[in-house]
Amino acid sequence: MEEGDGSRFPFPFKPYPIQESFMDALYAVLDQGKVGIFESPTGTGKSLSLICGALTWLRDFEEKRRKEADRLLQAEKKKGGSEEEGNGCEKTAVQGEKGGPEPDWVSEFVQRRAEREIVNKLKDEEIKRKRREDMLEKTRLNAKLKHSMKRKNNDDDETEKLLQLSMQGAGSEVSSHEEEEEELIVADYESEEENTLKNRLCGGDDDDDDDLEEEHVTKLYYCSRTHSQLAQFVHEVQRSPYGSTVSLVSLGSRQNLCVNPDVVQLGSVQLINDRCMELQKNKHDKKKKSEREPKRGRGSVMVTCAFSSYEKMMSMRNDVLATVSDIEQLVQHGRATHTCPYYSTRLAIPAAQVVVLPYQSLLHAATRKSSGIKLKDQIVIIDEAHNLIDTVTALHSSEVNGAQVCRAHSQLTQYCERYRSRLKAKNLMYIKQILFVLEGLVRTLGGKVGRNPVTQTTQSGTELLTINDFLFRAQIDNINLFKVQRYFEKSLISRKLCGFAEKYEGSGVTTHSAFTNKENRRTEGLGHFLQNLQSKAAAPPEHQVAVEDRTTMASPMMLVESFLFSLTNSNKDGRVVMEKQACLAHSSVKFLMLNPAVHFAQIINECRAVVIAGGTMQPVTDFKQQLLLSAGLSEERIVEFSCGHVIPPENILPIVLCVGPSGQELEFTFQTRDTPQMMEETGRVLSNLCNVVPGGVVCFFPSYEYERRILAHWETTGVLQRLVAKKKVFQEPKKASQVEQVLSEYTKCIQHSCSTGGGQSGALLFSVVGGKMSEGINFSDDLGRCIVMVGMPYPNIKSPELQEKMAYLDKHMPHLDGRSPGKALVENLCMKAVNQSIGRAIRHRGDYACIVLCDRRYSRGSTLQKLPEWIRTSTHTHSSFGPAFASIRRVWCVCVCVCVCVRNL
């Protein structure tokens, strides 16, 4: 490792000037507690710049705190016995403060008193830390003692248990069944007001628990979209100068971190979460039960997770803090030590300096709380943030269809009937309120509960309502949804209902004597009813998969719960979209979050500084208006930084092509793009490009539908055959599981043609903007020597959701440059998608490519300004095809000559 000459930032090599500027700007944002929007193109070492710049600031910040604490402690020691003298002067000092200019000795005294308060605070924190360490040590010791006693008790009770089993016979099965039933019943519920009153009457106080909670050190929270991007960041940390000194923990979902084979095999995220939480609950319930009844010796066995030993998790927690590890390394460690990585990593959060986690874990308040994430005075870095607004919006939007609401109502009804005699009045009251709400949801969709939603017909149409209007329409405006929300959270009714449905749905219902004949018929009817919901004859094949997946992969009550939580948002911040289809089962209600700033404001207000970074952040006006300024942030606290690329300017040739080879004007509007003339002209453009561009050409279409239509036209007119004669043609697959295979074949074809020459020269890949290959895929080197953008991928302006979003922005956002915020949103969404697609080509310093934007509308000044600066400054607009094609041919002739010379050497 070496540092750049004269650089204050440790770096694995001499940083580029743009990296130095990036780290300087980042350091200033963190030091001044601001919010920064950072744009650094892919291939410029953005991750390393973030790591070295942020960790250098953290190192300096901790060093300043240590020096300040040492200075104050030393000053306290030097003063020695001057405490009494200072106290004697206090009255005089106060009198001096009331009138006239203060003498110097008064100012010195006030400063000494402030320093003394800081010293006392440091001492108090040290005492608390010591108490926490002592308590943790006692907890570990108690756990070891309990483990030893448990083994002894198990040995002593083995004979008694066997005897009990032999005597009880069939009775033990009844006991086991009763205990399983007990797990499904919601516990006695007390509202928040009742709990508060009870604590006051009983003198309950949780302050001691708060004191014993481990203190969070100043840290960096780094988040990105996918686990692969997070793993790449962790690897960059490992090879950075801070790799051996920083304490880093990687967080992930149970699906990614669980090492219990019995749980992992469930597959579904929802099932894995439910089973894990059930096992953890069993562990706590078993502990409480053993304390109450240490020697009952009953025949039932309460299953717990064998990987969640506290001693082992604390040991793994220490290993995690000592060595920088990614998700895969954590899973390997967990399997080797028979320890749960999911909970071990959460134990490591307070002491970690860097916490690496996915978007969802940071941007959702409930997830932050459950994960133990505390943002107060911390640093948050959000990488790959080009779709941050969409992510926040999606996280706080929700949707539920008619089949799921009916299923939730049927399950809860039977649950209530099954356990009515064992449920307390408070639980019954809230369950009846939830049933009433579910009936209201079905009623708004034009159906009735208790009937098969597949056979219930509704009048098709889409309607948008405010939250208040929807509550009135559903006739549930008299229900306090905030109290219902707390009941969901405290009672865990959704999870219990999921367990109830899993146990009794379909088969095995009639074997339990606890059911009456009437109850048996009802529960059996539920099984047949649910099977009918998934009847393939009742729905079109393309719609069946979506409905079945949503029904089977997630608990219906959990989806309903999420939707009801959404309705507690402010009336102006969201809308409810009612979409009625031909039948009730396929109709849906969706909550659309219009103001993501409401939720992002929590992060901004708590954190010391926030950094929003990405390879392509243009246009940044959306981030500023919709996320930052709307969250109450002042313009002075926002810092924008954008750097160029490390490639030489001659390595990129962006061209706006206004006219095709035959003189046809290229403007792919809704009225002209489907005409035969426009489709054939597009084919001529591609044919000419494929004749001169070696390696790979990637062509992006604005939508899957337009790609289908234009390829069908080319096939009938012979254009596609001409393209195949020059380059092998590939098409983006519709299934995500097939992407790797297509990319692999595309890569092999290009590598083979580049090494052998002759015949087909490379490959042509047809893709779609916003599709599976427009983000996260690298078309570096010969894989993407030319990127062609056909038309402008504007979103569907007729979408009710988009229209409502535009109306909201027009009402609440200021007009810029004389244009309405709604229209600006449409163009910004288009250009964000374009920027992501064309950025697939240039991936490192030595890369080069040509970018062809086929649409005269790209030549407009307002549109060009929304291209990344490093592309915009090199862009050339051509109003005729000849000069444009000549410049492309000239560039590739030079490049081919250079490649031939290098190959001969």
Side-chain angles (χ1 to χ4, degrees):
M1 300 291 181
E2 63 178 85
E3 294 188 20
D5 298 338
S7 174
R8 59 170 171 165
F9 301 101
F11 218 71
F13 49 82
K14 183 177 180 180
Y16 301 129
I18 61 173
Q19 291 175 322
E20 286 276 9
S21 301
F22 185 103
M23 291 185 287
D24 282 331
L26 176 64
Y27 192 101
V29 166
L30 302 185
D31 202 43
Q32 298 168 17
K34 295 189 175 183
V35 176
I37 302 175
F38 284 74
E39 182 182 55
S40 181
T42 302
T44 57
K46 170 169 59 70
S47 296
L48 263 180
S49 300
L50 284 170
I51 292 165
C52 296
L55 290 181
T56 299
W57 174 86
L58 184 60
R59 178 197 65 186
D60 295 347
F61 177 75
E62 293 293 343
E63 184 64 26
K64 288 177 183 177
R65 288 186 61 179
R66 281 194 293 270
K67 287 182 178 180
E68 182 65 15
D70 290 342
R71 186 185 70 80
L72 293 174
L73 289 172
Q74 290 296 328
E76 182 72 11
K77 290 180 181 179
K78 288 180 180 179
K79 282 190 287 186
S82 62
E83 183 72 23
E84 294 183 2
E85 178 183 352
N87 289 337
C89 298
E90 185 169 356
K91 184 176 180 180
T92 308
V94 173
Q95 291 174 351
E97 291 172 0
K98 291 183 179 179
E102 293 181 346
D104 292 342
W105 66 268
V106 174
S107 301
E108 291 176 4
F109 170 76
V110 172
Q111 182 179 356
R112 286 200 306 270
R113 186 171 62 179
E115 291 176 352
R116 194 161 56 246
E117 290 174 355
I118 296 175
V119 172
N120 291 335
K121 182 179 179 181
L122 291 171
K123 290 180 178 178
D124 291 341
E125 290 179 354
E126 187 64 30
I127 293 172
K128 288 182 180 180
R129 188 178 294 108
K130 181 65 176 169
R131 285 180 59 196
R132 283 192 293 269
E133 291 174 355
D134 292 342
M135 182 58 70
L136 287 173
E137 187 61 35
K138 289 179 182 179
T139 303
R140 297 189 190 103
L141 181 60
N142 289 338
K144 291 180 181 178
L145 292 174
K146 287 179 181 179
H147 181 67
S148 301
M149 290 298 296
K150 177 183 175 184
R151 291 182 59 184
K152 184 178 183 302
N153 290 336
N154 287 342
D155 293 338
D156 293 342
D157 292 343
E158 189 64 29
T159 304
E160 183 181 350
K161 287 183 178 180
L162 291 173
L163 181 60
Q164 293 263 354
L165 286 171
S166 63
M167 293 177 63
Q168 290 175 353
S172 64
E173 297 179 5
V174 176
S175 299
S176 175
H177 173 64
E178 288 177 354
E179 290 201 2
E180 291 176 2
E181 290 280 286
E182 194 68 32
E183 294 177 16
L184 298 177
I185 302 174
V186 292
D188 294 350
Y189 177 73
E190 292 181 349
S191 65
E192 196 169 293
E193 296 83 357
E194 291 170 336
N195 278 327
T196 304
L197 181 60
K198 184 177 179 180
N199 286 335
R200 288 176 180 174
L201 292 174
C202 298
D205 194 357
D206 295 332
D207 290 344
D208 292 339
D209 294 337
D210 294 338
D211 288 343
L212 295 175
E213 184 180 351
E214 187 173 359
E215 184 180 358
H216 284 235
V217 302
T218 303
K219 59 172 62 38
L220 309 173
Y221 285 100
Y222 173 90
C223 62
S224 191
R225 289 192 311 118
T226 64
H227 283 288
S228 60
Q229 290 169 340
L230 296 174
Q232 182 180 355
F233 177 82
V234 172
H235 296 158
E236 292 289 340
V237 174
Q238 290 172 337
R239 75 186 189 96
S240 75
Y242 293 98
S244 59
T245 58
V246 69
S247 55
L248 179 147
V249 58
S250 297
L251 301 184
S253 64
R254 288 181 175 89
Q255 188 180 33
N256 293 101
L257 285 174
C258 181
V259 294
N260 187 332
D262 295 333
V263 178
V264 174
Q265 69 179 1
L266 297 175
S268 165
V269 177
Q270 190 65 58
L271 294 176
I272 290 174
N273 288 341
D274 291 345
R275 184 57 177 160
C276 175
M277 297 176 74
E278 179 186 347
L279 294 176
Q280 298 305 314
K281 179 180 179 297
N282 286 349
K283 182 172 69 173
H284 296 303
D285 289 351
K286 189 173 182 180
K287 178 180 177 182
K288 293 178 182 177
K289 183 178 177 182
S290 64
E291 292 173 354
R292 295 194 311 265
E293 306 173 29
K295 292 188 178 181
R296 286 190 62 171
R298 302 180 65 170
S300 64
V301 178
M302 191 176 287
V303 181
T304 60
C305 183
F307 293 80
S308 59
S309 165
Y310 180 77
E311 295 86 353
K312 287 185 177 180
M313 288 195 297
M314 286 301 296
S315 175
M316 184 173 178
R317 174 250 195 199
N318 295 333
D319 293 340
V320 168
L321 293 172
T323 307
V324 176
S325 305
D326 63 14
I327 294 291
E328 292 184 3
Q329 292 167 332
L330 290 173
V331 171
Q332 292 174 1
H333 188 289
R335 287 173 178 159
T337 60
H338 214 63
T339 309
C340 175
Y342 180 78
Y343 285 105
S344 299
T345 52
R346 273 148 182 77
L347 289 173
I349 291 176
Q353 293 174 297
V354 179
V355 178
V356 179
L357 68 167
Y359 269 178
Q360 294 80 354
S361 300
L362 182 101
L363 298 175
H364 196 264
T367 308
R368 288 200 303 270
K369 183 178 179 181
S370 64
S371 301
I373 296 170
K374 295 186 176 181
L375 300 181
K376 182 66 176 176
D377 297 328
Q378 308 291 9
I379 304 297
V380 164
I381 298 176
I382 303 174
D383 201 0
E384 301 297 333
H386 54 272
N387 56 2
L388 179 59
I389 296 176
D390 297 335
T391 302
V392 178
T393 300
L395 281 174
H396 297 92
S397 299
S398 57
E399 183 177 9
V400 63
N401 62 41
Q404 293 159 349
V405 178
C406 288
R407 190 181 186 207
H409 184 277
S410 181
Q411 289 180 358
L412 188 57
T413 300
Q414 293 179 78
Y415 178 89
C416 184
E417 291 176 354
R418 176 73 178 88
Y419 301 118
R420 180 182 297 276
S421 61
R422 302 172 67 176
L423 293 171
K424 298 295 183 181
K426 185 78 72 172
N427 283 318
L428 286 172
M429 182 192 74
Y430 278 107
I431 288 175
K432 288 181 179 179
Q433 285 189 7
I434 296 171
L435 288 171
F436 181 78
V437 171
L438 293 175
E439 291 175 12
L441 295 182
V442 174
R443 190 164 49 245
T444 59
L445 291 174
K448 293 183 179 180
V449 297
R451 300 180 184 177
N452 192 333
V454 175
T455 60
Q456 295 190 62
T457 59
T458 58
Q459 187 174 358
S460 301
T462 301
E463 189 175 1
L464 281 97
L465 299 171
T466 64
I467 297 176
N468 290 341
D469 289 342
F470 177 78
L471 295 176
F472 284 117
R473 175 79 62 88
Q475 298 178 13
I476 58 175
D477 53 293
N478 59 332
I479 300 294
N480 189 329
L481 291 180
F482 292 96
K483 287 188 175 182
V484 174
Q485 176 181 356
R486 284 197 295 271
Y487 179 75
F488 270 114
E489 293 173 344
K490 299 292 183 181
S491 68
L492 305 178
I493 182 65
S494 295
R495 286 222 323 266
K496 298 209 179 265
L497 196 61
C498 185
F500 169 77
E502 182 182 350
K503 183 174 182 179
Y504 290 119
E505 221 172 83
S507 61
V509 177
T510 58
T511 61
H512 294 279
S513 59
F515 280 103
T516 64
N517 291 334
K518 183 179 179 181
E519 288 170 336
N520 281 333
R521 289 196 301 271
R522 284 177 176 172
T523 314
E524 281 183 317
L526 171 63
H528 295 303
F529 167 68
L530 294 174
Q531 291 175 8
N532 289 334
L533 289 188
Q534 298 174 359
S535 173
K536 295 184 179 180
E542 63 272 12
H543 201 79
Q544 280 173 16
V545 177
V547 173
E548 289 180 3
D549 285 348
R550 289 198 298 267
T551 303
T552 57
M553 297 300 286
S555 166
M557 186 57 79
M558 289 184 178
L559 296 174
V560 172
E561 179 182 347
S562 176
F563 178 74
L564 295 181
F565 287 6
S566 299
L567 296 181
T568 60
N569 280 279
S570 174
N571 186 59
K572 65 181 178 61
D573 292 332
R575 294 290 182 271
V576 178
V577 183
M578 288 198 307
E579 189 173 349
K580 296 181 181 180
Q581 302 292 339
C583 71
L584 176 63
H586 302 150
S587 301
S588 65
V589 284
K590 177 181 180 180
F591 175 79
L592 176 65
M593 172 56 66
L594 297 177
N595 185 17
V598 172
H599 300 281
F600 198 68
Q602 300 172 11
I603 297 175
I604 294 175
N605 294 334
E606 290 185 26
C607 293
R608 173 191 175 95
V610 176
V611 175
I612 302 171
T616 303
M617 297 299 291
Q618 292 293 336
V620 298
T621 53
D622 284 353
F623 295 98
K624 292 180 64 175
Q625 292 293 334
Q626 296 185 43
L627 274 188
L628 304 182
L629 297 177
S630 296
L633 201 66
S634 62
E635 188 81 42
E636 296 76 23
R637 201 183 161 197
I638 302 174
V639 175
E640 295 180 40
F641 176 87
S642 178
C643 63
H645 213 295
V646 293
I647 63 169
E650 59 270 16
N651 280 28
I652 183 172
L653 180 61
I655 289 177
V656 176
L657 196 58
C658 301
V659 177
S662 66
Q664 171 72 41
E665 187 177 84
L666 299 177
E667 187 168 359
F668 294 82
T669 63
F670 185 77
Q671 293 79 15
T672 62
R673 65 182 183 180
D674 287 332
T675 61
Q677 298 87 349
M678 187 67 73
M679 291 184 175
E680 290 167 13
E681 192 75 350
T682 307
R684 295 188 192 99
V685 171
L686 270 180
S687 296
N688 280 276
L689 291 175
C690 289
N691 284 333
V692 297
V693 177
V697 175
V698 183
C699 178
F700 284 100
F701 293 104
S703 67
Y704 285 103
E705 177 60 24
Y706 188 65
E707 178 193 38
R708 184 190 64 79
R709 290 201 298 266
I710 198 170
L711 290 182
H713 181 81
W714 286 351
E715 191 170 5
T716 58
T717 58
V719 174
L720 197 58
Q721 288 73 15
R722 291 198 298 272
L723 293 174
V724 171
K726 190 60 181 176
K727 290 183 181 290
K728 187 172 182 179
V729 174
F730 294 85
Q731 188 174 356
E732 177 183 308
K734 293 184 178 180
K735 293 183 179 180
S737 58
Q738 298 174 346
V739 171
E740 286 296 329
Q741 179 184 352
V742 172
L743 280 176
S744 177
E745 294 175 0
Y746 174 74
T747 303
K748 289 178 182 178
C749 176
I750 292 174
Q751 291 173 343
H752 177 73
S753 65
C754 289
S755 61
T756 59
Q760 289 178 325
S761 175
L764 171 63
L765 175 63
F766 293 125
S767 189
V768 175
V769 177
K772 302 171 184 65
M773 294 184 175
S774 63
E775 288 188 36
I777 303 295
N778 291 341
F779 294 111
S780 58
D781 299 322
D782 288 329
L783 299 186
R785 289 308 183 196
C786 182
I787 304 294
V788 182
M789 181 66 59
V790 177
M792 298 187 72
Y794 282 107
N796 181 13
I797 195 67
K798 296 182 179 180
S799 163
E801 290 91 343
L802 181 57
Q803 288 183 348
E804 194 64 26
K805 181 73 173 181
M806 292 170 63
Y808 175 84
L809 294 178
D810 287 340
K811 182 177 180 181
H812 295 93
M813 299 293 171
H815 286 54
L816 299 174
D817 301 327
R819 292 187 310 147
S820 71
K823 291 183 179 179
L825 170 68
V826 173
E827 186 165 315
N828 289 345
L829 290 173
C830 169
M831 292 309 297
K832 280 183 184 178
V834 169
N835 291 338
Q836 284 301 310
S837 299
I838 64 180
R840 301 299 94 204
I842 304 295
R843 310 305 285 178
H844 59 83
R845 179 179 177 84
D847 210 351
Y848 55 91
C850 175
I851 298 172
V852 181
L853 304 175
C854 295
D855 199 307
R856 67 177 300 116
R857 290 174 294 178
Y858 283 109
S859 62
R860 295 181 303 203
S862 61
T863 303
L864 282 174
Q865 287 301 314
K866 292 176 181 177
L867 290 171
E869 184 181 0
W870 63 279
I871 293 179
R872 183 176 67 247
T873 53
S874 301
T875 300
H876 301 276
T877 299
H878 291 276
S879 56
S880 59
F881 184 78
F885 185 70
S887 63
I888 296 172
R889 183 168 49 189
R890 183 168 55 252
V891 167
W892 287 116
C893 286
V894 173
C895 292
V896 169
C897 292
V898 172
C899 290
V900 170
C901 293
V902 171
R903 190 178 296 128
N904 291 336
L905 290 175

